[in-house]
Amino acid sequence: MVLAFNTSTDRLMARFAIIIMTFGAMYGIYSFGRPVYWRFYATVIRPFEDGGGIDALDDDPFAAAVLEQKRLDKHKGDELDAIKPSKGVDVVKPSTDQQATKAEDKREQNKDQDEKRRLEEQQRKADEDKKKQEEQQRKADEERKKKEEEQKQEADKKKEEEKKKEEEEKKKAASKSGDKKAFDPQDYPLTKERVHGLLQDGYIMVTWANHHYLDFAKSWVHNLKQVGVTGYLVGAMDDEILKSLADLGINTWRMNTGITKSDLGWGSPNFHKMGRFKIALIKQFLDLDVTVLISDIDTAWLRNPIPYMKRYPEADVLTSTDELHETVKDESLELYPQASAAFNIGIMMFRVSSKGFVEEWIKSLENPQMWDQTAFNDLVRKGATRSDPDKGNLWKGDNGKLTVGILPASIFSSGHMFFVQRKYEELGLMPFVAHATFQYSGTPGKRNRFREFLLWDDPPEYFDHQKGFINLNIDIPKELLAKAKGVQGMMQSPDKLDNHFALVHYQLARLRTGLVLATLTGRVIILPPIWCELDKYWAPLLDGNIPGSVFKKPFICPMDHVLDIEAGWHPIKSETAFGPHIEFREYSFLKNPRLKPEVNNSRLVLGTCPSGDDGKCTSGGTAGEVKDKTLTVGKTVKAKQLGEYLKSDAASKFKILDVPSSTLEDLHQLWTTLDGPQKEQFMYRLKHYTSVFCCLQDNPGWIWYDFFYDIPHTDRHNRKYEKFIYYRGDGNMVFGKTARRALLAANQQTPVEAQFMEQVHMNAMYSWP
């Protein structure tokens, strides 16, 4: 390849290149030539030169160092030669002046070294002193900060106490002077100043209620105060409850919703309207720049939840769940998507960072057919990620815009996890809250569940009664409990009901005797705990449980599983048709610490005579006589006579009538001795006291419990029994082939008619072998 410079431009560029290279070479020679030359000179030429020459190469430090070392070596050699005695030559000793000079030089050198070491030691000590001072200062700062924090907490506490004291004094002064300001609903607005004044660690807990739920609001606040929560507000949906809450000194504000003052009714238009108010309410509090913990009114708090919420500062939203099987065994957040059940919006925490999501939620509810909880679930699950264990099981929802956590189902509990499974006991955990969901008797049922677990704030009069109480002790046969160990599969055959109904009906028969005693005396019946094998739901069970749940059998049912509190027990019924009203208390009543000792210790035992009659007892006492806090009667005593015994002055002075299991057995047929009209009224009342088992695999899937399962009778739906059979629903359909044949036989049909009717029933339900 031949280079050719054919153009003037090429030739010009070549000249420029030559010039640049020339200058580069000259600069290189200038920069490196002298050091290279002097290094060559010092190491090659200089050693061969005589004594004269260059003593220092100032322009080349390397060469200078080499020459200096050679000079020193030569100097030492000369000195040694000077003092070394030659053979036949006298040694010339240094003069005294020379020795003195050397000694002085050495002393100076030692002095310099000592001074250097002293300065180094002084610097080391100074450094150590500085570090000590810094450490002391750090500790002092920490101690000061700690002391300041303690002083601040003490001051805040003192300020809060003074504030409460001042408010109490104002109330006392107002009541004494009689010039208390008239109630004005406008005095209770929702303002930023008011809310921020109530914050507890930056949080505010909020619920709401109308006047129908006043006792729920009182209990809600009572439980919060018991666990140390002061930062709360109760929204007053009407001015009637607003005044009641204000008079009770409960933190409240006026919502003025215009919604009914009566029961909202789950699923009703008022219920859905309230749901929309709830979401708007969340937005209101976020606009006030606070972190809000929303709680439905039908909750009972057992621990302060605020420290738990503070464990997850990155969470925008924390929500409770309807999950019936825990995915964690401790207090960690549930795992998503393993915990895939519906998120329950009855217990939720929102930080200000979630405001955009809440606005989306509100917008989605512009569709009048959309349920608030469904809308929340739909939005939060959009583009959801999985729980991240490194971030405390938090995950991303709403297409990555929202950081979400699912509160642990075992301790932020639904009605099933708390009241039925008692999952917190199984795991050895302390629950935060019980939410009265998964129950079957409306508002009265919720109230009773809280009472069963001592979570309800009743007035003092609830714990006493003019005529006293009846306490039943039912010893269930071990074989009934042993058989009730659970079932497997779908509810498609009657044999899966047999052990459960045998167990429940045994207890109802003993309760029936107790209800006779309540009818005769007017005393309040303390309901015994009812043991069950099968769960209850609005849909078919699986393995005898609500699908997804697992727990030990048998278990203590909530009262609303077996008895109809809402329609049967709660309303006052006509005494003409039903006989006298029977009041009841929950099974834990006698364990309530608010029950006074003078009531709890005032007990009379009802016993029966071994002789079995109503004459002289074999023990020598007279039947009907109160002796040693025991009233003894004959096993065949009539209801009217027993009523007179129990209402005597000697018996009625006792607050509690204890009825042992043996007495319940001996008086098993007492109810049959009631007078004709009284007996009819009693039976009619008890027919309306029971609820249903639910649900079988196919509809109608419910079966009514029956207080009179053990005798021929007609039930509340006018169906005739010779012995108990499984009627499905409220009609005449019977569950199972054997039961259908028993029904047909009881109706005395011909074999042809029986065969035809059996086929009709089978076609109407499903095929059975």
Side-chain angles (χ1 to χ4, degrees):
M1 175 176 163
V2 179
L3 294 176
F5 301 96
N6 299 323
T7 64
S8 58
T9 302
D10 291 340
R11 287 190 292 274
L12 180 62
M13 292 301 295
R15 292 189 185 98
F16 278 132
I18 292 170
I19 294 169
I20 292 170
M21 290 174 65
T22 301
F23 276 107
M26 293 173 67
Y27 180 78
I29 294 170
Y30 172 78
S31 300
F32 300 106
R34 288 168 57 104
V36 171
Y37 166 76
W38 285 116
R39 185 173 288 110
F40 176 78
Y41 175 81
T43 58
V44 178
I45 300 174
R46 178 63 180 173
F48 298 98
E49 290 182 345
D50 55 10
I54 300 173
D55 292 330
L57 303 176
D58 296 332
D59 292 336
D60 190 343
F62 173 80
V66 172
L67 294 177
E68 180 65 20
Q69 184 61 43
K70 289 183 176 292
R71 189 163 49 248
L72 289 175
D73 292 343
K74 184 176 184 305
H75 180 70
K76 288 181 181 179
D78 293 343
E79 287 181 347
L80 288 175
D81 291 341
I83 64 174
K84 182 177 180 181
S86 300
K87 202 170 187 181
V89 180
D90 293 335
V91 176
V92 180
K93 294 183 179 180
S95 65
T96 303
D97 292 340
Q98 289 177 332
Q99 292 179 353
T101 301
K102 288 182 178 181
E104 182 65 24
D105 291 342
K106 188 172 184 180
R107 282 195 298 272
E108 287 296 328
Q109 185 178 5
N110 292 338
K111 185 177 179 181
D112 291 342
Q113 291 176 352
D114 291 342
E115 179 66 16
K116 182 179 180 181
R117 284 195 294 271
R118 185 185 67 79
L119 292 174
E120 289 176 350
E121 180 67 17
Q122 185 177 356
Q123 183 62 40
R124 185 184 62 79
K125 288 183 178 180
D127 292 341
E128 289 180 355
D129 292 342
K130 183 178 180 182
K131 287 181 180 179
K132 287 181 181 180
Q133 290 176 357
E134 290 176 350
E135 181 66 18
Q136 290 175 353
Q137 184 63 38
R138 185 184 64 79
K139 290 182 178 180
D141 291 342
E142 289 180 355
E143 188 67 26
R144 177 178 54 78
K145 288 180 181 178
K146 184 178 178 181
K147 190 173 182 180
E148 288 176 353
E149 184 65 25
E150 290 175 352
Q151 291 175 345
K152 183 177 181 299
Q153 291 177 354
E154 186 66 26
D156 292 342
K157 184 178 179 181
K158 188 175 180 180
K159 186 177 180 180
E160 184 66 24
E161 291 175 352
E162 290 176 352
K163 184 179 178 181
K164 289 181 179 178
K165 187 176 180 181
E166 184 180 349
E167 290 176 353
E168 290 175 0
E169 289 176 352
K170 284 182 180 180
K171 288 180 181 179
K172 289 179 181 178
S175 61
K176 286 181 180 179
S177 63
D179 58 353
K180 186 177 180 180
K181 181 183 177 182
F183 170 73
D184 185 355
Q186 302 299 329
D187 291 339
Y188 300 91
L190 184 66
T191 63
K192 184 173 184 178
E193 292 74 20
R194 187 151 182 258
V195 172
H196 278 249
L198 292 171
L199 291 181
Q200 184 172 356
D201 294 335
Y203 290 75
I204 188 77
M205 291 188 67
V206 176
T207 192
W208 53 93
N210 63 13
H211 196 264
H212 179 78
Y213 292 94
L214 175 60
D215 58 343
F216 277 82
K218 289 166 61 178
S219 287
W220 189 84
V221 172
H222 172 79
N223 288 322
L224 282 185
K225 289 182 176 179
Q226 290 289 102
V227 299
V229 175
T230 57
Y232 72 87
L233 269 169
V234 180
M237 294 170 60
D238 55 70
D239 288 348
E240 192 173 353
I241 190 175
L242 177 64
K243 185 178 188 307
S244 298
L245 294 174
D247 290 343
L248 291 167
I250 291 174
N251 302 333
T252 185
W253 90 93
R254 188 189 191 207
M255 292 178 68
N256 195 27
T257 62
I259 300 177
T260 178
K261 297 179 183 179
S262 59
D263 196 334
L264 293 173
W266 193 94
S268 68
N270 280 321
F271 178 84
H272 288 293
K273 188 177 180 182
M274 183 60 248
R276 283 157 169 74
F277 268 102
K278 177 199 292 188
I279 318 309
L281 189 65
I282 295 170
K283 174 67 163 50
Q284 277 185 278
F285 277 92
L286 296 180
D287 285 341
L288 298 178
D289 196 28
V290 298
T291 299
V292 59
L293 201 166
I294 295 292
S295 168
D296 279 356
I297 196 68
D298 59 340
T299 54
W301 291 89
L302 295 85
R303 290 171 66 185
N304 181 352
I306 294 175
Y308 186 91
M309 303 299 164
K310 292 172 69 176
R311 296 180 195 177
Y312 301 98
E314 295 179 11
D316 300 316
V317 175
L318 295 176
T319 176
S320 60
T321 174
D322 285 337
E323 188 68 42
L324 297 179
H325 184 70
E326 73 285 356
T327 63
V328 293
K329 303 294 183 182
D330 54 18
E331 292 191 352
S332 303
L333 295 175
E334 296 287 352
L335 297 171
Y336 184 81
Q338 293 91 322
S340 57
F343 305 133
N344 190 297
I345 63 174
I347 302 168
M348 309 183 81
M349 186 278 294
F350 292 86
R351 290 196 167 91
V352 177
S353 54
S354 67
K355 191 187 296 186
F357 169 80
V358 174
E359 290 171 349
E360 285 186 70
W361 189 7
I362 293 172
K363 187 175 181 180
S364 70
L365 294 175
E366 293 175 358
N367 178 359
Q369 304 301 318
M370 179 61 75
W371 184 24
D372 53 355
Q373 183 162 295
T374 302
F376 175 86
N377 276 266
D378 291 346
L379 279 174
V380 81
R381 293 173 192 264
K382 283 184 177 180
T385 64
R386 302 178 68 89
S387 289
D388 186 348
D390 294 334
K391 294 186 177 180
N393 291 344
L394 293 171
W395 48 278
K396 289 290 186 178
D398 191 20
N399 292 319
K401 295 181 288 184
L402 196 71
T403 303
V404 188
I406 306 173
L407 296 169
S410 59
I411 51 178
F412 288 84
S413 308
S414 67
H416 198 271
M417 291 289 275
F418 188 89
F419 299 109
V420 179
Q421 297 188 49
R422 307 190 186 201
K423 188 62 69 174
Y424 61 93
E425 288 184 352
E426 178 185 322
L427 299 177
L429 302 174
M430 179 63 186
F432 278 91
V433 63
H435 192 183
T437 55
F438 290 92
Q439 69 84 40
Y440 309 95
S441 267
T443 302
K446 294 173 184 281
R447 189 181 289 115
N448 189 73
R449 285 200 178 190
F450 287 134
R451 282 172 170 159
E452 288 178 343
F453 281 75
L454 306 179
L455 296 173
W456 192 256
D457 182 30
D458 277 302
E461 53 268 25
Y462 181 80
F463 300 97
D464 200 354
H465 192 272
Q466 183 179 2
K467 295 185 178 180
F469 305 93
I470 298 174
N471 179 41
L472 306 180
N473 297 280
I474 302 177
D475 292 335
I476 303 173
K478 292 181 179 179
E479 56 269 24
L480 285 178
L481 292 170
K483 289 179 180 179
K485 58 185 178 181
V487 300
Q488 296 295 317
M490 296 184 291
M491 306 301 296
Q492 290 182 321
S493 60
D495 62 306
K496 293 184 179 180
L497 302 178
D498 291 341
N499 293 331
H500 172 73
F501 270 84
L503 176 61
V504 172
H505 278 159
Y506 179 90
Q507 297 168 86
L508 291 184
R510 277 70 194 164
L511 176 56
R512 179 178 64 193
T513 301
L515 293 170
V516 176
L517 298 176
T519 300
L520 296 173
T521 62
R523 287 177 178 263
V524 177
I525 186 79
I526 301 173
L527 295 171
I530 299 177
W531 287 83
C532 298
E533 179 187 33
L534 300 178
D535 203 352
K536 185 172 185 175
Y537 195 38
W538 300 282
L541 301 179
L542 180 64
D543 298 334
N545 307 327
I546 299 179
S549 63
V550 179
F551 55 102
K552 188 177 179 181
K553 310 294 179 57
F555 66 101
I556 297 177
C557 293
M559 179 183 172
D560 55 87
H561 272 213
V562 176
L563 301 173
D564 187 354
I565 308 173
E566 183 177 31
W569 290 75
H570 181 68
I572 304 297
K573 300 180 183 299
S574 166
E575 292 196 9
T576 303
F578 292 88
H581 178 66
I582 301 175
E583 291 188 52
F584 71 90
R585 296 290 187 268
E586 63 283 356
Y587 65 77
S588 60
F589 178 74
L590 296 179
K591 297 180 180 179
N592 198 308
R594 301 177 71 182
L595 184 67
K596 294 181 179 179
E598 53 266 32
V599 175
N600 208 354
N601 296 331
S602 177
R603 300 197 179 214
L604 174 68
V605 177
L606 178 61
T608 54
C609 295
S611 62
D613 59 31
D614 201 20
K616 294 287 185 180
C617 295
T618 56
S619 60
T622 303
E625 177 186 357
V626 176
K627 186 178 181 180
D628 297 329
K629 298 183 179 181
T630 301
L631 173 64
T632 307
V633 300
K635 296 179 182 179
T636 58
V637 65
K638 305 298 183 192
K640 183 177 179 180
Q641 185 64 56
L642 179 56
E644 292 175 359
Y645 293 155
L646 293 173
K647 288 189 287 187
S648 67
D649 291 341
S652 60
K653 70 178 182 180
F654 291 92
K655 285 293 186 180
I656 298 173
L657 178 65
D658 274 326
V659 187
S661 183
S662 58
T663 301
L664 291 174
E665 295 298 321
D666 292 340
L667 301 181
H668 186 64
Q669 296 299 321
L670 178 66
W671 72 276
T672 63
T673 68
L674 290 167
D675 293 339
Q678 191 179 27
K679 179 180 177 181
E680 292 298 321
Q681 292 169 341
F682 180 76
M683 291 186 69
Y684 193 56
R685 177 174 287 277
L686 265 62
K687 288 176 184 178
H688 289 79
Y689 272 0
T690 55
S691 183
V692 298
F693 158 78
C694 202
C695 288
L696 305 174
Q697 189 62 28
D698 295 308
N699 194 47
W702 64 94
I703 297 173
W704 288 89
Y705 296 106
D706 198 329
F707 269 109
F708 303 102
Y709 74 98
D710 55 343
I711 63 167
H713 70 289
T714 301
D715 73 358
R716 66 190 291 181
H717 300 291
N718 294 317
R719 300 176 296 199
K720 293 182 179 180
Y721 291 83
E722 289 299 320
K723 62 178 181 179
F724 183 75
I725 54 178
Y726 298 125
Y727 280 113
R728 299 173 65 234
D730 301 340
N732 290 320
M733 297 180 68
V734 180
F735 185 44
K737 186 174 181 179
T738 303
R740 286 196 299 276
R741 285 176 176 167
L743 171 65
L744 299 173
N747 291 337
Q748 298 180 346
Q749 294 172 317
T750 66
V752 175
E753 291 173 329
Q755 184 177 6
F756 172 76
M757 290 302 298
E758 182 177 347
Q759 187 62 45
V760 170
H761 281 291
M762 291 178 71
N763 291 339
M765 298 187 296
Y766 28 66
S767 296
W768 292 108

